[in-house]
Amino acid sequence: MRSFTKKLLFGLFFLTSLTVFSQTKITGVVLDGEFNEPLAGANVVVKGTTDGATTGFDGKFEITTTKTAGEVVVTYLGFQKSTVSFNGSTNLGSVNLNADENQLEGVVVVGSGIIDLAKDRKTPIAVSTIKAAEIQAKVGTADVTQALVNTPSVYVAGQSGGYGDSRITVRGFQQDNIAFLLNGQPINGMEDGKMYWSNWSGMSDIANAIQIQRGLGSSKLAISSVGGTVNFVTKATDKKQGGFASMGVANNDYFKSTVGYNTGMSKKGFGFSVMLSHWQGDGYNMGTKGEGQNYFISFGYKPSEKHSFNFLLTGAPQYHDQNYTKSISKYLQYGRKYNNNYGSLNGQYLSERTNFYHKPVANLNWDFNINEKTQLSTVLYASWGRGGGTGNYGSRVRTADGHINFDAIYANNQSANGEGMFGNGTYLIRASMNNHAWYGIVTNLKKKLTENLSFNAGLDVRSYYGTHYRQVANFLGLNSWTESRELKNSFDLPSGNVVSNTVTDYGIAKPWEAMFNTVAEDQRIDYDYSERISYGGVFGQLEYATEKFSVFFQGSASQQYHQRFDRYDYLPEAQDSKKVDNFGFNVKGGAAYNVTENHAFFANAGFYSRQPYHDNVYLNYTNAVNPLTSNEDVLGLEAGYSLTSNMFSANVNVYRTSWKNRVITNSTVLSATDITNLGGVIGTTPVAEGDLIYTSSQTDEQLHTGIELDFVFKPFSGLDVKGFASLGNWQYKGNSVQTKRDENLNTLDFAKVDVDGGKVGDAAQTTWGLGAKYEIFKNFSIDADWRTYDKLYANVSARKENLELPSYDLVDAGLSYKLFVGKDKKNSVGFRFNMNNVFDEVYLSELRTANKANSGDTTWNGINVTNSGFFGLGRTWNFAIRYNF
């Protein structure tokens, strides 16, 4: 027995020794190839295993693995990946990583479980990523949307309206059908789903990357990503100490200056980053002046390997004067830069239409690495919006060329003894205020169940309170303004109680003033109401992935609660509307197969049952609940193929998105004039003055199908060639039905209009482009992008025959140069020059009407000049210099 025990112990010792001696130890140090400095936090992994390590503050690493030979993969944000071979235990020495301008800069990325970038899921999607270097180089004076123009199925328009007035469509869907996220935090308007880019004028300064996920996307939240998801990933706290100062100038007296500084992350885990900027300009079109600032403050703390915290505060207070669409005939008469929203008072420029807003956004991210298999990411966020837009109120007077005659208006106001009201020829500039307070939390738990199976689950909770009213922005010589109104009762009908109020106070239409000053409720005009929207959602995802195959299932559900409070148009007991709640959900699933390391296929499908927006829940901005609202149904199907190699990579995607059960409802109380015009009947049913009538419009289906291509070709060092193409077919199917009902929802009239095959407008259905960047000599490069737009239709309601706009081409070009300076050449000075629309192409970027050209009509490029829209911007330029230290 003793002999057997000895043999057993010897055998165990021998096996243990084999195991120990078969382990391979790999060491080394990871350095910044440009500055020869250690990179802390780089990831080093033995390829094909989970064996890995993270470099310390000295850049050193040590890995123990059972593999005796193979490759080590070294990655770090903002740098190109490096692969190094090993054979047995070895010291790899220095592993130099080269900066990659097409990757995220070296920052502490927090909230990684919330942000939902495409790389976080093995199963692919249709995606394009624009990195910080390209954003900063090419946006110039434009909105951040300009960074997205060279991606498939994306159309950017509205720039002619003024600074911050652009908008984008993705796969033919407008912004209220695209989900916009800031570090995973939803930022679409809670009331109507819209985006106002003037509120985010500093995004190009603070964005590390913009990832546009076309179609179903990878977000796990219950969000309205019908066309796609656009995720803005901001800077956080920089790991390296340093800073920068930049200055830029552009056409139309544009000027911008920016400074930033990072303390770097200390050995105790603290770091601080700050950035401030100021911009101003006269605008491309007449009467579109603007000015604003941007601030960004980030504080990071990493007390241990398990916990990371980051607090971020950013805002972009701004004001800009606006230009609205006009008839083509007006542009031909007065010039393509014509704008009739402004004039002069006593020889000084004055605009009737000014947008002003300040929307500070704060979030606190916490990443908790519970253990090797479990991570928890949480973000607490808040935003406080203050501001609005000015406009006309009363009897406007114009000059012979259509501009506003403020001198004549001022004289009229004085002749009325300074007492303003409707009907006595007086006028003032009002401001429509849109204030809000928005708080929320998103949390996601990620659990690695097995080597190949992972699970995510989380919560999305939001609370929003918005207040909307009008106030006087400029009395223009008046001392007061008086108006009367008849209050409504709890049945949303006139009560017979008429009240009158006189206002003498006003608010300054500037963002900083609006942030800290609010006029009293008895000094508000036209309307004054608020709404509360509460939202609670849960989500989950299960994914199985191997090196060859992956499959996922994702689902989310949400409950929304709405209530409206109208202080202006209702009796005190009727000011609070009925509470409305609605439920929605989405499910998504997909699979991918990697044929080889260079070839992969994927297919995804998803269904959304989307709740109506708040503005559709209540009718005509009143407390009347819309009885006809229901969830919209969206079904998305997509598939794709990707090819990757050292010289060439490409993606091809096909998609089909069906949007059904979309209902738009309005209501009206019939007047005596209405009864006369209707002949006393709707359909065959007699109606009377005071009857409440609902009118709803519903199109059977909106169907968007298409194919997309994007590629990158690097034939030799120094030359990068990129291209994209998208061929869409976006149209209405079936009929558009208009139904009129009484307040008991009895059908009074029914009209069916054939819209089958009608084209969806507001975005070019066919686009393609080609771009190249060539490094002429070290650190000096030239780049150019060419794009063409075709099959662009007017932005009008569903109809069988839409109006097609002329196709057009645009060419943008730029020059970049970086000069290294200082004792150790660790500082640099960068220069960038852009010219957009190099050949000064004249084109219509959008139309809001679809008037056909008949024989004898005056036309421009075949388009009836009675149509209203915008010409696109002509040739523009900008130049920037940046010092990094």
Side-chain angles (χ1 to χ4, degrees):
M1 183 67 180
R2 183 178 298 174
S3 174
F4 174 76
T5 302
K6 287 182 178 180
K7 291 179 180 179
L8 179 61
L9 291 173
F10 177 78
L12 291 172
F13 174 76
F14 179 74
L15 291 173
T16 303
S17 300
L18 284 176
T19 301
V20 171
F21 288 119
S22 67
Q23 287 183 333
T24 301
K25 181 183 290 187
I26 307 167
T27 58
V29 59
V30 179
L31 301 176
D32 182 330
E34 185 175 341
F35 299 112
N36 201 38
E37 293 180 342
L39 288 176
N43 293 315
V44 187
V45 178
V46 178
K47 190 173 182 180
T49 74
T50 58
D51 300 329
T54 302
T55 59
F57 280 94
D58 55 2
K60 294 181 179 179
F61 67 89
E62 179 180 311
I63 301 174
T64 301
T65 180
T66 56
K67 295 193 71 171
T68 57
E71 292 179 324
V72 169
V73 180
V74 185
T75 57
Y76 188 81
L77 287 173
F79 290 80
Q80 297 176 354
K81 178 176 66 175
S82 179
T83 302
V84 184
S85 299
F86 71 91
N87 191 352
S89 295
T90 184
N91 185 344
L92 298 177
S94 298
V95 180
N96 294 308
L97 297 186
N98 296 318
D100 187 346
E101 66 176 22
N102 289 322
Q103 286 196 24
L104 299 177
E105 294 179 355
V107 298
V108 179
V109 177
V110 292
S112 57
I114 302 296
I115 293 178
D116 283 333
L117 296 176
K119 67 179 180 60
D120 297 326
R121 197 179 68 196
K122 299 292 184 182
T123 310
I125 54 175
V127 63
S128 298
T129 303
I130 301 93
K131 306 297 174 57
E134 183 175 353
I135 296 169
Q136 293 169 5
K138 295 189 175 182
V139 167
T141 65
D143 299 338
V144 71
T145 53
Q146 181 68 22
L148 305 175
V149 297
N150 293 305
T151 52
S153 297
V154 172
Y155 187 74
V156 180
Q159 302 97 320
S160 297
Y163 296 112
D165 283 353
S166 70
R167 68 184 191 283
I168 71 171
T169 60
V170 179
R171 289 184 175 175
F173 293 101
Q174 296 178 343
Q175 293 183 146
D176 56 345
N177 293 302
I178 304 167
F180 294 93
L181 305 173
L182 177 68
N183 293 338
Q185 163 193 336
I187 57 175
N188 291 72
M190 287 283 284
E191 301 160 10
D192 54 14
K194 295 180 180 179
M195 280 291 293
Y196 300 94
W197 294 107
S198 56
N199 299 343
W200 305 96
S201 60
M203 189 66 78
S204 58
D205 293 323
I206 68 174
N208 248 344
I210 306 171
Q211 187 170 91
I212 179 165
Q213 303 170 3
R214 301 181 298 277
L216 297 171
S218 65
S219 176
K220 296 180 283 290
L221 305 184
I223 50 179
S224 304
S225 53
V226 180
T229 302
V230 180
N231 207 332
F232 296 95
V233 182
T234 70
K235 293 172 169 43
T237 306
D238 207 300
K239 286 183 176 179
K240 294 196 299 183
Q241 183 181 11
F244 73 92
S246 68
M247 183 191 73
V249 294
N251 53 278
N252 299 99
D253 291 330
Y254 182 90
F255 172 80
K256 181 177 182 178
S257 59
T258 308
V259 294
Y261 180 73
N262 315 300
T263 64
M265 296 297 287
S266 70
K267 291 185 177 181
K268 292 185 177 180
F270 290 96
F272 181 76
S273 296
V274 62
M275 186 194 69
L276 303 170
S277 70
H278 173 86
W279 65 269
Q280 61 188 58
D282 289 344
Y284 179 81
N285 288 310
M286 294 186 297
T288 55
K289 295 182 178 183
E291 180 179 314
Q293 296 80 39
N294 178 36
Y295 55 88
F296 171 85
I297 301 168
S298 180
F299 176 77
Y301 176 49
K302 189 173 183 179
S304 67
E305 290 302 315
K306 283 185 173 291
H307 299 278
S308 293
F309 299 91
N310 199 94
F311 174 77
L312 182 150
L313 175 67
T314 185
Q318 61 77 41
Y319 78 86
H320 69 279
D321 298 337
Q322 295 179 292
N323 179 29
Y324 289 174
T325 58
K326 286 171 286 296
S327 66
I328 298 173
S329 61
K330 288 289 186 183
Y331 292 118
L332 297 180
Q333 181 179 1
Y334 297 113
R336 292 191 302 276
K337 294 186 178 182
Y338 177 68
N339 176 14
N340 60 357
N341 285 341
Y342 72 99
S344 63
L345 178 63
N346 297 323
Q348 299 295 313
Y349 166 89
L350 181 62
S351 177
E352 179 188 76
R353 297 284 181 175
T354 300
N355 176 277
F356 59 102
Y357 215 77
H358 186 187
K359 183 188 176 83
V361 176
N363 60 51
L364 175 63
N365 287 275
W366 171 39
D367 280 347
F368 178 22
N369 292 316
I370 300 172
N371 53 49
E372 291 183 355
K373 295 185 177 181
T374 309
Q375 295 84 40
L376 177 68
S377 290
T378 303
V379 57
L380 287 165
Y381 62 87
S383 69
W384 307 269
R386 299 290 186 272
T390 65
N392 60 297
Y393 206 67
S395 302
R396 183 199 285 130
V397 181
R398 291 193 179 274
T399 61
D401 63 357
H403 290 97
I404 301 172
N405 192 336
F406 286 112
D407 289 325
I409 289 171
Y410 194 93
N412 288 345
N413 288 347
Q414 291 286 289
S415 65
N417 298 318
E419 297 177 355
M421 66 183 66
F422 288 114
N424 72 342
T426 53
Y427 167 100
L428 56 78
I429 297 178
R430 52 79 183 162
S432 301
M433 304 298 291
N434 298 286
N435 302 338
H436 77 255
W438 183 350
Y439 305 94
I441 180 173
V442 181
T443 184
N444 177 67
L445 178 71
K446 182 177 181 180
K447 176 74 173 178
K448 191 172 183 180
L449 302 177
T450 68
E451 186 67 27
N452 304 113
L453 187 64
S454 63
F455 174 71
N456 286 266
L459 299 172
D460 174 14
V461 179
R462 314 171 208 169
S463 176
Y464 175 93
Y465 188 84
T467 300
H468 310 273
Y469 57 90
R470 280 183 169 173
Q471 65 185 31
V472 178
N474 191 331
F475 275 110
L476 293 171
L478 293 174
N479 299 317
S480 63
W481 181 270
T482 301
E483 58 187 25
S484 301
R485 62 198 183 277
E486 183 178 3
L487 300 181
K488 299 177 183 179
N489 59 26
S490 57
F491 298 100
D492 217 71
L493 297 173
S495 67
N497 187 345
V498 178
V499 297
S500 176
N501 71 301
T502 299
V503 301
T504 57
D505 196 7
Y506 68 97
I508 299 174
K510 292 293 178 66
W512 287 105
E513 287 81 355
M515 191 72 201
F516 301 105
N517 297 282
T518 303
V519 301
E521 290 184 5
D522 64 357
Q523 294 297 298
R524 299 174 182 180
I525 59 175
D526 200 22
Y527 58 79
D528 178 20
Y529 66 90
S530 301
E531 71 272 321
R532 183 179 299 281
I533 305 171
S534 301
Y535 176 103
V538 295
F539 55 85
Q541 175 182 290
L542 190 67
E543 182 174 40
Y544 177 83
T546 65
E547 288 190 7
K548 283 283 190 180
F549 177 76
S550 66
V551 61
F552 83 97
F553 176 79
Q554 190 172 299
S556 63
S558 64
Q559 187 78 21
Q560 296 182 4
Y561 302 87
H562 306 262
Q563 190 172 18
R564 195 175 183 277
F565 315 95
D566 197 317
R567 295 171 292 276
Y568 194 83
D569 287 319
Y570 287 81
L571 295 168
E573 64 271 19
Q575 291 180 0
D576 296 0
S577 74
K578 293 181 179 178
K579 295 180 180 179
V580 177
D581 64 275
N582 41 44
F583 174 80
F585 68 91
N586 68 54
V587 290
K588 293 187 278 189
Y593 179 64
N594 301 319
V595 181
T596 66
E597 189 175 347
N598 305 110
H599 302 271
F601 294 88
F602 77 89
N604 299 319
F607 177 80
Y608 292 81
S609 178
R610 192 180 79 169
Q611 303 106 311
Y613 285 117
H614 176 88
D615 285 353
N616 291 329
V617 171
Y618 297 97
L619 289 164
N620 308 330
Y621 300 98
T622 70
N623 283 357
V625 175
N626 184 353
L628 304 175
T629 56
S630 61
N631 284 16
E632 300 167 5
D633 297 331
V634 181
L635 176 64
L637 305 172
E638 59 188 24
Y641 164 75
S642 63
L643 166 68
T644 57
S645 68
N646 292 331
M647 290 179 56
F648 182 78
S649 62
N651 299 285
V652 179
N653 305 298
V654 295
Y655 64 89
R656 183 185 189 277
T657 304
S658 169
W659 187 11
K660 295 181 178 180
N661 202 31
R662 185 187 184 194
V663 181
I664 300 173
T665 304
N666 295 303
S667 68
T668 185
V669 177
L670 297 179
S671 65
T673 302
D674 293 329
I675 297 301
T676 301
N677 293 336
L678 291 168
V681 296
I682 294 181
T684 59
T685 303
V687 290
E689 181 180 353
D691 284 354
L692 177 64
I693 303 299
Y694 295 111
T695 302
S696 63
S697 299
Q698 179 177 358
T699 302
D700 289 348
E701 182 181 13
Q702 193 170 316
L703 182 63
H704 295 224
T705 60
I707 183 171
E708 302 163 338
L709 165 71
D710 63 270
F711 69 85
V712 177
F713 178 45
K714 299 183 179 183
F716 53 85
S717 177
L719 177 62
D720 291 353
V721 180
K722 297 181 180 181
F724 73 92
S726 56
L727 303 174
N729 183 21
W730 312 327
Q731 57 185 337
Y732 298 102
K733 305 295 291 184
N735 300 301
S736 178
V737 178
Q738 186 180 87
T739 307
K740 292 183 181 294
R741 297 178 174 90
D742 63 21
E743 60 183 309
N744 296 317
L745 303 186
N746 298 311
T747 299
L748 305 179
D749 194 21
F750 177 89
K752 182 182 292 187
V753 179
D754 179 17
V755 298
D756 194 59
K759 297 297 184 179
V760 176
D762 199 35
Q765 302 200 17
T766 299
T767 62
W768 60 87
L770 190 65
K773 178 181 178 181
Y774 179 61
E775 189 174 43
I776 300 173
F777 55 83
K778 188 172 179 60
N779 299 321
F780 179 72
S781 63
I782 183 172
D783 57 84
D785 294 294
W786 165 77
R787 303 182 300 278
T788 185
Y789 299 94
D790 196 12
K791 304 299 180 184
L792 171 62
Y793 297 90
N795 181 15
V796 292
S797 59
R799 60 193 63 194
K800 195 172 184 69
E801 296 293 334
N802 200 350
L803 178 64
E804 184 177 352
L805 282 64
S807 60
Y808 63 94
D809 300 83
L810 297 176
V811 175
D812 303 333
L815 292 168
S816 295
Y817 177 62
K818 181 180 284 189
L819 175 67
F820 288 95
V821 296
K823 182 179 179 181
D824 299 318
K825 302 294 184 181
K826 292 185 177 181
N827 302 338
S828 65
V829 181
F831 304 87
R832 175 69 186 183
F833 176 78
N834 288 310
M835 182 174 287
N836 295 325
N837 194 1
V838 172
F839 299 106
D840 204 20
E841 175 96 350
V842 178
Y843 63 98
L844 287 168
S845 60
E846 60 181 291
L847 286 180
R848 299 294 180 91
T849 57
N851 304 327
K852 300 291 184 179
N854 298 314
S855 178
D857 291 341
T858 303
T859 63
W860 181 87
N861 279 9
I863 302 297
N864 193 322
V865 297
T866 62
N867 283 293
S868 293
F870 276 136
F871 279 94
L873 302 187
R875 184 187 297 117
T876 60
W877 62 270
N878 60 81
F879 173 76
I881 181 172
R882 178 179 173 122
Y883 175 61
N884 297 291
F885 60 90

